[in-house]
Amino acid sequence: MLRVALPNKGTLAEPASTMMREAGYRQRSDSRDLSMVDEENQIEFFYLRPKDIATYVGSGDLQLGITGHDLMEESGSQVQPVLPLGFGASKFRFAVPADENWALEDLDGKTIATSYPRLVRSHLSGKRIGANIIKLDGAVEISVQLGLADAIADVVSSGRTLRQHGLKVIGDPIAESEATLIEREPRLDRHEADDVKAAKRIFTERLRGVVYARKYLMLDYDCPKDVLSQATAITPGLQSPTIAPLERDGWVAVRSMVTKSESNAVMDKLAAVGARAILTSEIRSCRAVTAGED
């Protein structure tokens, strides 16, 4: 049975469970449950602190896990990313008092509070900046106001919390993150059983199908044959569009996947070259590509 770790709380927890349901997996009905078995799919889910997931996967106790890419890097565990999942995007930034005109180099010799000491030390070391790092597990923004630190390094989304505490970001992002499916790094002294490899591959491709379904729409349109090459250049699809003859002579029906963000512009271009009956439809899931092809 495949053993998979999911976040038990925080901003990644609900989106991760939603993705599991969209991929066809059962999920816990009580948020206090720490594990559950999906008998039909032969998977046991474990609901763990996001910061601990990489540790469990890296130890080999669990075969796969979902956590933030930044948490994976911070853990130092022997894990590797398998698939970015398209949610939980964030940036990890330095923040200083809003009334200070500091640049990144001004952090040299200062005290910085953070929940990600490994990432901060690595970043500052690359910039040849020496600072005293204090590790906090939460409420990092208040540390400057309380006099514990001169600056902080933390995950920033809208910046509203920083402004509430009189802080502003400086410098480029230390790191950018999103929810990521992770697995243990391969080891020469330990080989996975074939059934585990197969189960991991199926799980990964189901999630990949959900990721693609969220990014793409299915586009259908009728097209005159004499402008077909122009139309298919606009809608090349993931591999190629599907083309079928219509009852009306000289016309074909075309079906292709297009990215949601570009769909309206694509429809405009198709109409301009002579396509008609252009419509889009949602994709709930798909098997668009296999690992290593995208």
Side-chain angles (χ1 to χ4, degrees), residues 54-76:
T55 300
Y56 280 102
V57 175
S59 69
D61 295 308
L62 304 176
Q63 284 90 27
L64 293 168
I66 292 177
T67 190
H69 194 277
D70 54 347
L71 296 174
M72 179 195 77
E73 295 286 354
E74 175 65 24
S75 73

Side-chain angles (χ1 to χ4, degrees), residues 240-261:
S240 68
T242 300
I243 301 171
L246 287 176
E247 184 71 19
R248 182 178 177 182
D249 189 46
W251 286 72
V252 293
V254 182
R255 165 169 281 199
S256 182
M257 289 172 66
V258 298
T259 57
K260 288 183 178 181
S261 60

Side-chain angles (χ1 to χ4, degrees), residues 10 37 44 53 59 74 93 104 162 175 185 203 211 227 241 244 253 256 273 275:
V37 175
E44 186 170 11
I53 287 175
S59 69
E74 175 65 24
R93 308 289 298 267
L104 186 63
L162 293 182
E185 291 179 347
F203 184 83
V211 171
V227 297
S256 182
V273 300

Side-chain angles (χ1 to χ4, degrees), residues 184-256:
R184 189 182 191 186
E185 291 179 347
R187 291 179 53 175
L188 295 176
D189 61 342
R190 184 173 177 178
H191 299 284
E192 285 185 330
D194 289 342
D195 60 336
V196 173
K197 289 181 181 178
K200 286 172 63 176
R201 183 170 58 253
I202 291 171
F203 184 83
T204 300
E205 292 312 313
R206 282 200 188 187
L207 296 197
R208 195 189 305 274
V210 174
V211 171
Y212 271 81
R214 291 178 174 182
K215 289 170 59 178
Y216 287 85
L217 292 171
M218 186 62 73
L219 181 70
D220 291 274
Y221 59 93
D222 296 343
C223 182
K225 287 184 178 180
D226 57 0
V227 297
L228 181 59
S229 60
Q230 293 172 256
T232 54
I234 298 169
T235 59
L238 295 186
Q239 295 182 335
S240 68
T242 300
I243 301 171
L246 287 176
E247 184 71 19
R248 182 178 177 182
D249 189 46
W251 286 72
V252 293
V254 182
R255 165 169 281 199
S256 182

Side-chain angles (χ1 to χ4, degrees), residues 110-253:
K110 300 291 195 301
T111 298
I112 302 173
T114 184
S115 299
Y116 301 78
R118 181 185 178 92
L119 282 177
V120 174
R121 287 194 182 96
S122 176
H123 185 81
L124 292 178
S125 176
K127 303 288 185 180
R128 297 186 178 181
I129 295 173
N132 176 39
I133 308 298
I134 296 177
K135 184 181 185 301
L136 298 177
D137 286 330
V140 174
E141 297 88 353
I142 201 67
S143 62
V144 175
Q145 185 177 335
L146 294 177
L148 180 66
D150 301 303
I152 69 167
D154 201 17
V155 173
V156 176
S157 51
S158 67
R160 182 177 62 87
T161 305
L162 293 182
R163 291 191 293 272
Q164 287 178 339
H165 293 88
L167 301 173
K168 65 179 181 182
V169 297
I170 63 168
D172 295 328
I174 302 167
E176 297 190 23
S177 182
E178 68 177 297
T180 304
L181 180 67
I182 64 173
E183 66 179 356
R184 189 182 191 186
E185 291 179 347
R187 291 179 53 175
L188 295 176
D189 61 342
R190 184 173 177 178
H191 299 284
E192 285 185 330
D194 289 342
D195 60 336
V196 173
K197 289 181 181 178
K200 286 172 63 176
R201 183 170 58 253
I202 291 171
F203 184 83
T204 300
E205 292 312 313
R206 282 200 188 187
L207 296 197
R208 195 189 305 274
V210 174
V211 171
Y212 271 81
R214 291 178 174 182
K215 289 170 59 178
Y216 287 85
L217 292 171
M218 186 62 73
L219 181 70
D220 291 274
Y221 59 93
D222 296 343
C223 182
K225 287 184 178 180
D226 57 0
V227 297
L228 181 59
S229 60
Q230 293 172 256
T232 54
I234 298 169
T235 59
L238 295 186
Q239 295 182 335
S240 68
T242 300
I243 301 171
L246 287 176
E247 184 71 19
R248 182 178 177 182
D249 189 46
W251 286 72
V252 293

